[in-house]
Amino acid sequence: MKKVIDAVAGTRRRHSSVPASPKMPAVPILENVSTKPDAPRYARYRWCDYIELRCLTHTDKRFSRDNLAEAIGESKDTTPEDGDDPIDPDIFSLEDHEEPDSGLQKTDDDEALSAACFRQLRWRSIIFGESWPFDIDHHTQEIKLKIDLNATHYFYLQLLLSSLLKYCPKKRRNTYTASFEQVSFLVFKDLMPRKSQVHRFGAAHGTRYKGKLFDKLTLLAQDIRGELRLERRDFPDSDVGDGGLDLVAWHDLGDERDHIPIALGQCGCTVDGWPDKMLEASPAKLSKKLVTGHDWSTYYFMPLDLTDERDGKMDWQEKRDMATAIVIDRLRLVRLADAYELMKHGALVKPAIDEALALRIS
């Protein structure tokens, strides 16, 4: 990256010397890391995150292609995943005529998945460059955590762990979800035109929009010079949620007329339902209820890494599920955090990362 922001007390941290906390929390920050993802095999971004998690929590801070193949075979989670297609000739080197129910086939599928994942990790090492907190050995097919971790590495690990909430106890998940919402807000704010009004709309952190959802939407409609075509009776009296909105922004252009720049955003750490969640703040879902002079821009923030290499160029994994939204994923967040120096504005939750680094549980 152009800049390496070292906001961690102005120094570099050697992960091998991270001490255990004198008073460890009653509930650990991670658990059950040996359980494989409940993900189809073509979802390489999720399997690669799992590899990085196992590396992060490994006694020696390393994890290999062979380790992954063994972990898949040894995992207690043997229930077939919905949509799992282990025989995909575009990703794996298996033939369509091979029998899927033989023990040999299962082993071959595990090896093929491991090979595909390490090709994807090689791609990550290229596109994230110095921001990637791991080193990859192409000869041994192994990744290992870098010894010297700077703030950008910490930020990557924060996004990684935000993508792995399955392995974070429910009582501790707010550590990562709240920090991700803050990161999304900071980036969203920097992406808006100068002197825009930018606010959080979410139920837990709104400052301008408070109270019941109907009241919040009524005020939002006024702010963006629109019309809310709903009535109070259309909402449960107990509804104080966000209606699918996390972030809102507009620029008044110096007068009180409509047809002004508007942007609405949603941020989510979900690994399963993100294609639908991507549309929650979009005109496709809201424009019949929240009417404006023109369709607003829709943003979706995710900590997942959906990058893919196609014919030597960068593209999206799961491209068929991409909706009409401006997507800010892990790579864009890392690069924008560098460009906007977000570490100076509270984007990093270093204690939670240090706690994860201190674990030796796999």
Side-chain angles (χ1 to χ4, degrees):
M1 304 300 296
K2 298 184 296 294
K3 296 178 252 177
V4 176
I5 309 161
D6 200 348
V8 188
T11 64
R12 291 175 176 264
R13 163 81 78 175
R14 295 181 64 87
H15 71 74
S16 58
S17 63
V18 175
S21 172
K23 185 178 180 181
M24 295 298 288
V27 179
I29 197 73
L30 294 170
E31 63 181 5
N32 300 325
V33 298
S34 62
T35 304
K36 69 178 183 179
D38 52 346
R41 292 173 181 252
Y42 59 75
R44 286 166 289 152
Y45 64 100
R46 292 183 61 182
W47 287 96
C48 286
D49 282 354
Y50 176 69
I51 293 170
E52 292 182 356
L53 171 69
R54 293 299 300 271
C55 178
L56 187 68
T57 58
H58 193 273
T59 301
D60 298 323
K61 301 301 182 185
R62 59 181 65 218
F63 203 74
S64 70
R65 173 176 163 179
D66 288 342
N67 292 149
L68 177 63
E70 292 173 5
I72 296 170
E74 294 173 358
S75 175
K76 295 179 181 179
D77 180 10
T78 57
T79 304
E81 297 88 358
D82 292 338
D84 196 359
D85 183 7
I87 305 177
D88 184 344
D90 292 329
I91 299 177
F92 308 125
S93 58
L94 303 179
E95 299 296 333
D96 290 339
H97 64 266
E98 291 181 300
E99 294 296 331
D101 57 351
S102 69
L104 178 60
Q105 177 65 50
K106 177 177 174 57
T107 300
D108 288 345
D109 287 347
D110 294 346
E111 290 290 347
L113 172 60
S114 297
C117 287
F118 271 82
R119 287 195 297 271
Q120 186 68 27
L121 288 169
R122 177 182 176 276
W123 169 247
R124 281 189 182 180
S125 72
I126 294 171
I127 59 165
F128 283 96
E130 292 300 319
S131 298
W132 199 47
F134 304 93
D135 289 316
I136 186 166
D137 188 319
H138 302 296
H139 177 67
T140 62
Q141 293 286 282
E142 179 183 66
I143 67 167
K144 57 183 178 180
L145 191 66
K146 288 179 177 176
I147 294 177
D148 291 321
L149 296 177
N150 59 43
T152 305
H153 297 145
Y154 266 77
F155 185 60
Y156 179 99
L157 294 175
Q158 180 172 310
L159 296 176
L160 171 67
L161 293 170
S162 298
S163 302
L164 292 163
L165 295 183
K166 169 183 176 177
Y167 303 99
C168 183
K170 290 183 179 180
K171 291 183 178 180
R172 303 295 308 276
R173 289 179 185 176
N174 185 63
T175 302
Y176 294 119
T177 57
S179 66
F180 185 70
E181 290 173 6
Q182 174 65 8
V183 165
S184 300
F185 171 71
L186 292 172
V187 172
F188 185 68
K189 187 174 182 180
D190 278 324
L191 291 174
M192 293 301 106
R194 289 182 61 244
K195 298 188 177 180
S196 292
Q197 291 283 330
V198 185
H199 300 276
R200 296 176 72 166
F201 195 83
H205 303 287
T207 54
R208 179 173 178 81
Y209 304 99
K210 299 179 180 180
K212 297 179 180 179
L213 180 56
F214 174 76
D215 296 322
K216 292 190 286 189
L217 288 173
T218 299
L219 178 56
L220 175 63
Q222 295 172 3
D223 286 338
I224 62 177
R225 319 285 167 82
E227 177 187 357
L228 181 65
R229 293 184 179 175
L230 293 170
E231 300 178 10
R232 187 177 295 277
R233 62 184 178 182
D234 294 319
F235 297 82
D237 191 59
S238 59
D239 192 348
V240 294
D242 57 27
L245 297 176
D246 287 322
L247 307 166
V248 301
W250 73 92
H251 197 297
D252 63 18
L253 298 182
D255 63 35
E256 298 178 356
R257 292 174 292 177
D258 57 5
H259 293 267
I260 58 175
I262 306 166
L264 305 181
Q266 172 67 260
C267 46
C269 298
T270 179
V271 295
D272 294 315
W274 59 263
D276 292 331
K277 198 171 181 65
M278 191 179 291
L279 289 173
E280 287 191 0
S282 72
K285 183 173 182 179
L286 299 176
S287 63
K288 296 298 183 182
K289 297 169 280 190
L290 184 61
V291 182
T292 55
H294 64 90
D295 286 349
W296 56 82
S297 297
T298 305
Y299 284 77
Y300 183 66
F301 291 81
M302 59 164 64
L304 307 176
D305 168 32
L306 286 186
T307 59
D308 196 13
E309 180 182 12
R310 296 190 181 184
D311 301 322
K313 297 181 180 179
M314 191 186 303
D315 210 330
W316 295 97
Q317 288 189 56
E318 311 298 325
K319 193 171 184 177
R320 65 189 177 279
D321 288 327
M322 300 298 288
T324 52
I326 299 166
V327 179
I328 313 295
D329 66 346
R330 186 181 304 170
L331 178 65
R332 290 178 172 177
L333 285 168
V334 167
R335 292 183 175 181
L336 291 170
D338 182 30
Y340 296 139
E341 300 185 353
L342 296 190
M343 306 309 167
K344 297 179 179 179
H345 303 286
L348 196 63
V349 286
K350 184 176 176 292
I353 312 306
D354 276 336
E355 185 181 344
L357 285 169
L359 297 175
R360 302 288 194 275
I361 55 179
S362 68

